[in-house]
């Protein structure tokens, strides 16, 4: 028994599509409505696995409007494709490969009948296809349309194409992806967004993007607060879990310290992420405690008084996007390519419209030659053309950007340097105040630096200030005081010298070696005056003379004291019966002592001045904010030799005077000399630690004070008792009272 068998085939059809007739049809495969399928169990027809509630992506609807607007604008422009009307046939691919294949085959069929590879009319010539925005649409579409060499324009993310033949018929309406990454990098560096987050989609394109971003961004000093992955949404029974994953990503963003996040994903994923982000952001804006958008126990979240104007414009974007702009340019590129094609083949046309349609019906593949050479200025004035790889050659525009601060921590302000935090990325650091003497005049300096020698840091350690020069001046109170004291004691010395000269024939003057007394008083007079070489701005003459003059004058004074005490001691030793010291007593010995001791110091100073003489110098290191003008001693060794020799004379004089302290009263000048030498030694012993602990111009003041104090001690202790007798008690200045026999 035989039965007639019939094959019943339900022609598949895309529900959401738009068509407008024309001489030439521009095809569009655009994912507008997102439909997720349940897990295919092969127990029901796959068509029944689609959900009943589709998700409309409003942003992608703008892509369709952009295509329709460009077609309408070209049809109304008589300068482009005159006597030819463009039409369009736009199909929704539902973000799924199955429906993308179906939309591609529909382009190869008649408008009202699904018979792939057959067309029942010549009025439906598809000259190109514009597809997007997700990457797999382009890859799936190319499997079919590349067989017919139909031009394919991609306006979304770039697919990973393994088939080089397919790439010959594909035109990318967005800039090179490497250029995109470079632009993002330049943007981050320009705004100093070095602490960012990365979110990418779980597919081959996302992983490729992540590999390049991690390498290039890290090499340019950008750190990552977090790196999160968007899962791929495939089946509706996974939807709840996927939304929870999106919520977790949103919470990571909201709780992170970074203010900048780079999201790299397909449109449909971004749409879902935006909805969840808006919900999370909205709850944070109205300060609700419950943050779970899926919790069935959550209370009513809105009061009805909230306004959309309070949300950022990036959440509800109504202006033309970059992808809409790419579609607009793609339509115009096709129009200009068709016009160039028709211009070249116009001599082969016999009829007007029908000839054009027949020409494209069989030779649409020839359009590639003209598309690759397309170059025109669009309505914005931007030049549109394709490079050798079929990618449009223009860059990116940045619109509606604000400038937040996106750092792991706040900038290190002026006066602070960065200190790395152990266990944290190199973008995370602490701020440490610059050490004393260093500054940081820029934010986020790795190290503070010292000012030049002639500058010093301000209190905030943010800039360098010129040091001011200082020296012990005659105009300041300390300089005036020391100068006045020096002149006062010089006057006293001159008065005493005058008294002694006036009363030179009196017994008290004659009894203590009158000539040595005159020399000692003159030496003390010049000792007081030599301090004037230490006051005022140092110059070559002052530096050359002051230490040597001080050393020689004081050596002469000490030599006179040593001569006087030595003569006294020898005089009493000569009075003993049978003493051989009688021949040493006399003025000659005193003169020899003074000349020999002074000559040694003069020789030392001469060698010093001949080998390493002192010179004017500036000390920039002793005081942080001052440049001290001083005299460099030239040779520190010679300076200390001069001081050492003076100390030697002081010690010898003190010892000799100490031995003569118990001689009879009438000749006992040694007692006063002993006391004066004790004062002298005390002053210079205190000078050493005081001088070493003092800085700046006060070091010079300490030395001046020591000179004045020691010289005044000699003058007062030795000559005040004698002046008292000469001036106030002349009755005691008689030989009978001064000469006493030793007991």
């Amino acid at each position: 028994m035989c039965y007639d068998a019939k094959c019943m085939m339900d022609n598949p059809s895309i529900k959401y599509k738009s068509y407008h007739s024309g001489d030439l049809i521009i095809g569009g495969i655009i994912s507008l409505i997102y439909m997720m399928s349940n897990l295919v169990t092969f127990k029901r027809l796959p068509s029944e696995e689609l959900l009943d509630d589709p998700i409309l992506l409003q942003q992608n609807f703008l892509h369709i409007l952009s295509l329709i607007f460009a077609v309408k604008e070209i049809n109304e422009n008589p300068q482009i494709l005159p006597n030819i009307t463009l039409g369009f046939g736009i199909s929704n691919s539902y973000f799924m490969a199955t429906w993308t294949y179906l939309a591609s085959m529909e382009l190869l069929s008649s408008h009202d009948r699904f018979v792939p590879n057959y067309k029942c009319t010549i009025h439906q010539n598809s000259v190109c296809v514009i597809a997007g925005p997700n990457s797999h649409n382009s890859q799936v579409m190319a499997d079919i349309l590349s067989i017919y060499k139909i031009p394919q324009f991609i306006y979304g993310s770039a697919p990973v194409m393994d088939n080089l033949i397919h790439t010959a018929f594909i035109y990318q309406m967005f800039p090179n992806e490497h250029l995109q990454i470079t632009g993002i990098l330049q943007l981050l560096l320009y705004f100093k967004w070095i602490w960012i987050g990365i979110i990418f989609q779980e597919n081959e394109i996302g992983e490729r993007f992540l590999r390049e971003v991690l390498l290039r961004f890290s090499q340019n000093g950008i750190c990552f607060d977090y790196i999160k992955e968007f899962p791929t949404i495939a089946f509706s029974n996974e939807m709840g879990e996927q939304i929870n994953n999106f919520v977790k990503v949103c919470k990571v963003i909201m709780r992170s310290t970074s203010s900048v996040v780079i999201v790299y994903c397909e449109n449909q994923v971004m749409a879902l992420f935006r909805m969840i982000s808006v919900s999370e952001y909205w709850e944070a804006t109205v300060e609700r405690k419950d943050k779970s958008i899926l919790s069935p126990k959550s209370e009513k979240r809105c009061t009805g008084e909230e306004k959309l104007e309070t949300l950022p414009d990036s959440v509800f974007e109504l202006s033309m996007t970059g992808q809409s702009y790419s579609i607009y340019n793609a339509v115009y590129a096709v129009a200009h390519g068709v016009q160039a094609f028709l211009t070249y083949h116009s001599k082969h046309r016999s009829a007007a419209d029908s000839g054009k349609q027949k020409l494209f019906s069989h030779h649409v593949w020839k359009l590639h030659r003209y598309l690759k050479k397309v170059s025109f200025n669009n309505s914005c004035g931007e030049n549109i053309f394709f490079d050798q790889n079929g990618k449009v050659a223009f860059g990116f525009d940045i619109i509606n950007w604000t400038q937040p601060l996106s750092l792991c921590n706040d900038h290190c302000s002026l006066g602070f340097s960065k200190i790395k935090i152990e266990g944290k990325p190199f973008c995370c650091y602490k701020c440490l105040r610059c050490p004393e003497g260093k500054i940081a005049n820029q934010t986020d300096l790795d190290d503070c630096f010292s000012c030049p020698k002639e500058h010093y840091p301000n209190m905030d350690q943010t800039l360098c200030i010129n040091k001011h020069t200082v020296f012990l001046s005659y105009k300041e109170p300390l300089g005036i005081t020391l100068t006045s004291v020096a002149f006062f004691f010089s006057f006293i010395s001159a008065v005493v010298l005058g008294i002694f000269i006036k009363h030179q024939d009196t017994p008290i003057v004659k009894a203590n070696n009158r000539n040595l007394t005159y020399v000692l008083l003159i030496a003390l007079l010049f000792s007081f005056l030599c301090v004037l070489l230490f006051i005022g701005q140092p110059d070559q003459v002052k530096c050359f003379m002051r230490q040597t003059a001080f050393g020689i004058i004081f050596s002469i004074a000490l030599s006179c004291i040593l001569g006087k005490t030595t003569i006294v001691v020898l005089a009493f030793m000569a009075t003993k019966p049978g003493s051989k010291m009688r021949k040493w007593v006399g003025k000659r010995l005193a003169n020899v002592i003074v000349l020999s001791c002074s000559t040694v110091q003069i020789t030392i100073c001469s060698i010093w001045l001949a080998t390493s003489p002192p010179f004017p110098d500036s000390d920039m290191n002793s005081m942080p904010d001052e440049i001290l003008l001083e005299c460099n001693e030239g040779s520190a060794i010679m300076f200390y030799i001069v001081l050492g020799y003076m100390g030697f004379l002081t010690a010898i004089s003190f010892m000799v005077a100490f031995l003569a302290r118990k001689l009879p009263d009438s000749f006992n000048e040694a007692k006063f000399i002993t006391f004066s030498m004790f004062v002298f030694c005390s002053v210079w012993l205190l000078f050493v630690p005081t001088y070493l602990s003092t800085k700046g111009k006060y070091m010079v003041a300490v030395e001046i004070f020591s000179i004045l104090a020691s010289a005044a001690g000699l003058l007062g202790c030795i000559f005040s008792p004698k002046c008292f007798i000469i001036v106030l008690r002349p009755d005691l200045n008689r030989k009978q009272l001064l000469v006493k026999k030793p007991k």
Side-chain angles (χ1 to χ4, degrees), residues 53-177:
D53 296 326
I55 300 174
L56 174 64
L57 300 184
Q58 182 180 1
Q59 184 180 10
N60 290 13
F61 181 67
L62 299 178
H63 302 169
I64 297 177
L65 295 181
S66 177
L67 192 154
I68 296 173
F69 173 77
V71 169
K72 181 180 179 182
E73 193 175 61
I74 292 172
N75 289 336
E76 294 175 353
N77 188 350
Q79 297 181 354
I80 304 177
L81 298 180
N83 302 322
I84 292 183
T85 302
L86 292 182
F88 55 81
I90 305 173
S91 299
N92 176 37
S93 64
Y94 300 99
F95 295 94
M96 297 176 65
T98 303
W99 296 94
T100 303
Y101 277 122
L102 178 59
S104 301
M105 289 187 290
E106 282 189 348
L107 291 173
L108 303 175
S109 305
S110 298
H111 168 58
D112 52 350
R113 297 183 61 187
F114 180 70
V115 184
N117 204 33
Y118 286 92
K119 288 186 178 181
C120 301
T121 175
I122 62 172
H123 294 282
Q124 292 177 325
N125 295 312
S126 296
V127 293
C128 72
V129 178
I130 300 176
N134 48 330
S135 59
H136 76 268
N137 273 12
S138 310
Q139 195 168 8
V140 171
M141 171 187 68
D143 292 339
I144 296 177
L145 299 182
S146 294
I147 299 175
Y148 298 90
K149 302 179 181 180
I150 297 177
Q152 303 155 54
F153 291 82
I154 303 171
Y155 69 89
S157 54
V160 179
M161 304 293 291
D162 298 328
N163 193 328
L164 296 179
I165 299 177
H166 291 179
T167 59
F169 311 116
I170 293 179
Y171 301 87
Q172 296 183 10
M173 294 307 301
F174 54 89
N176 187 291
E177 189 177 42

